[in-house]
Amino acid sequence: MISIRNLSKTYGDAEGGHRALDDVTLDIGRGDIFGILGSSGAGKSTLVRCINLLETPTSGTISIDGVDVTGYAGRDLARLRGSVGMIFQNFSLFQQRTVLRNVTFPLELVGMPKPERDRRALELLDVVGLSGLSERYPSQLSGGQQQRVAIARALANRAKIMLCDEATSALDTKTTVSILELLRKINREMGVTIVIITHALTVAESVCNRIAVIDGGRIVEQGTTEELFANPQSQALRELIENSRQVHGRAFPAPDQEGC
């Protein structure tokens, strides 16, 4: 569904600039919950922002459903972003808009009539478990509730892809579990392909069927979550597993041991 080929992104001039992505090639299948793992500064957020062209690649291509979208601009770019929802760590809600008006915002941009967009927003608020909260403001919600509003907004234009950039890192453990359960439900019942950017292996283990590990702007390994966690090949993933083990105990197997 998403095919990334030889993607590079350099900030600044070619000689003295920072190369955030270096020749990234990656395939994300329809219906995947795909994790992109890496430490801070590895390039994972730049990669996900290139998928919906919030960042313009320096070279390489991004194709969705066989269509090269890399050079999209104007209306084509607007349509692309309508089909690719995105949620962020800090929720990015409009504080002066109610929950309902936050969810209807992308529908206003495409000119959907008010009765229709309100109906769509209320349906989505029911999906994310916020029925009855449509007239509250973000400041009146918990962090988990705010992220649910952001998820509903990302789905408003019937997105077929959802990008999650560290979407649970500002949440406590219990709330993180509930948000990941919601993402699984959306993936299963609505057929939305989900790409999750995270440095937390517990997040990837609990929800992702496939993962790729990025380090220094390059993909250093990729495969099924179970295979990679059971037998990591890259130093970057070994370090992430060791760090997670120190924090969470034996949440992951030591390299070359069976289990996940």
Side-chain angles (χ1 to χ4, degrees), residues 11-208:
Y11 294 100
D13 60 67
E15 293 185 1
H18 170 61
R19 197 172 180 87
L21 297 177
D22 186 5
D23 198 31
V24 170
T25 292
L26 194 62
D27 288 307
I28 299 170
R30 184 184 304 278
D32 275 349
I33 303 182
F34 194 99
I36 300 176
L37 304 182
S39 59
S40 179
K44 55 188 185 295
S45 290
T46 301
L47 176 55
V48 78
R49 290 170 67 89
C50 282
I51 293 175
N52 65 352
L53 300 180
L54 287 177
E55 295 284 356
T56 303
T58 303
S59 61
T61 61
I62 301 164
S63 298
I64 297 177
D65 287 339
V67 178
D68 185 353
V69 302
T70 319
Y72 272 15
R75 292 183 178 178
D76 288 336
L77 180 57
R79 282 194 294 269
L80 170 67
R81 290 180 178 162
S83 67
V84 182
M86 190 164 186
I87 58 175
F88 303 89
Q89 175 182 351
N90 63 357
F91 319 132
S92 296
L93 300 179
F94 298 107
Q95 296 300 311
Q96 302 307 314
R97 280 177 166 250
T98 64
V99 166
L100 183 68
R101 297 299 165 224
N102 266 278
V103 179
T104 61
F105 179 71
L107 303 177
E108 294 171 29
L109 295 180
V110 298
M112 181 180 289
K114 185 177 184 301
E116 187 176 347
R117 65 181 185 244
D118 284 358
R119 183 168 56 252
R120 172 67 176 161
L122 290 171
E123 289 173 355
L124 287 171
L125 289 174
D126 182 55
V127 168
V128 302
L130 295 180
S131 295
L133 301 184
S134 62
E135 295 307 313
R136 291 194 185 182
Y137 288 85
S139 62
Q140 298 173 302
L141 304 177
S142 68
Q145 289 172 330
Q146 290 186 64
Q147 195 59 287
R148 288 172 182 266
V149 176
I151 291 169
R153 184 179 61 185
L155 295 170
N157 274 319
R158 304 187 186 279
K160 56 186 178 180
I161 298 167
M162 181 183 293
L163 309 177
C164 306
D165 191 359
E166 298 282 9
T168 61
S169 62
L171 305 175
D172 62 39
T173 301
K174 183 177 179 180
T175 307
T176 292
V177 169
S178 72
I179 292 297
L180 295 178
E181 288 175 351
L182 175 60
L183 292 177
R184 275 194 293 266
K185 173 185 174 182
I186 289 167
N187 171 260
R188 181 179 64 252
E189 296 181 4
M190 303 176 72
V192 177
T193 299
I194 299 176
V195 182
I196 295 179
I197 302 301
T198 186
H199 65 276
L201 270 65
T202 51
V203 170
E205 182 199 35
S206 65
V207 74
C208 298

